Amino acid sequence: MSPDKMVRMANQIATFFESQPDADKAGRVAEHLIEFWEPRMLEKLAAHVASGAEGLSALALDGAKRAVA
């Protein structure tokens, strides 16, 4: 998967959870990533975060950090 597609998908997930009433929105993003993304996708996401996380929204970045920690 290209980094652009991965970033777009993570941002879409974050946008969805941004509109939900949950108090821990980043936690919900992380849970979604862990549950639905395969390990190779999470590894690529971790590498993207480590290299500066270009393009990820603040909520997507927070959720990604929690998912790959």
Side-chain angles (χ1 to χ4, degrees):
M1 171 184 310
S2 74
D4 289 340
K5 184 173 182 178
M6 178 185 60
V7 166
R8 185 172 58 250
M9 289 172 61
N11 284 339
Q12 287 173 333
I13 293 164
T15 298
F16 172 78
F17 285 111
E18 185 66 45
S19 69
Q20 300 303 302
D22 299 312
D24 185 14
K25 295 174 190 311
R28 298 283 291 153
V29 171
E31 289 171 4
H32 181 91
L33 293 171
I34 291 166
E35 186 172 349
F36 294 104
W37 284 30
E38 65 179 39
R40 290 178 295 176
M41 291 171 70
L42 291 174
E43 288 172 12
K44 286 184 179 186
L45 183 60
H48 187 73
V49 168
S51 70
E54 184 177 341
L56 286 174
S57 69
L59 181 56
L61 176 58
D62 193 7
K65 285 179 178 178
R66 293 184 191 194
V68 299

